[in-house]
Amino acid sequence: FALKPAGASNAGTWKPIDTSLELSARSQNVAVWTGEELCVWGGCGGESCEDTREDGGCYSVVNNSWRSLPSEPTFPGRVGASAVWTNKEIIVFGGTRDGKVVEGGGRLVPENVAP
């Protein structure tokens, strides 16, 4: 759900967000705000967080729609990683996978973002 901002019609009310991308339920994922989209990646699912998520997506508040983030076999999903937005790319670092600390990080420039 998204909260309508002050000044909007029906301000202060929650409205459903698009679920068409069908991102799987997850926790301990990374999330960054790009100024236009909320981008979510990685994390884990399952009762005991046993399934590491390899995917992600970006949600546009303006369009009320999701788009997929690309998967990268050389950069597998992580649980509990850290991420920042640099105004042109998402940088992800650290985290765990299969109960082991993951070294290093990766960078992703989401589509439709001007460098």
Side-chain angles (χ1 to χ4, degrees):
F1 280 81
L3 182 63
K4 290 189 174 186
S9 62
N10 299 323
T13 61
W14 288 93
K15 67 176 192 169
I17 63 173
D18 174 56
T19 58
S20 63
L21 182 59
E22 297 184 21
L23 270 180
S24 55
R26 63 192 65 218
S27 64
Q28 301 183 46
N29 53 274
V30 298
V32 297
W33 175 250
T34 70
E36 295 181 8
E37 296 179 311
L38 168 67
C39 295
V40 177
W41 181 83
C44 59
E47 292 295 318
S48 303
C49 203
E50 67 273 6
D51 299 321
T52 301
R53 302 298 188 215
E54 307 284 342
D55 63 348
C58 292
Y59 173 74
S60 167
V61 176
V62 172
N63 298 322
N64 187 31
S65 62
W66 285 92
R67 62 185 178 83
S68 296
L69 285 173
S71 295
E72 176 56 56
T74 62
F75 190 68
R78 297 158 182 238
V79 175
S82 296
V84 295
W85 172 248
T86 69
N87 281 336
K88 66 179 181 179
E89 61 189 0
I90 301 168
I91 299 177
V92 177
F93 192 85
T96 62
R97 184 173 179 83
D98 301 323
K100 296 182 177 113
V101 175
V102 179
E103 294 183 8
R107 299 165 27 187
L108 171 67
V109 178
E111 291 180 25
N112 303 323
V113 174

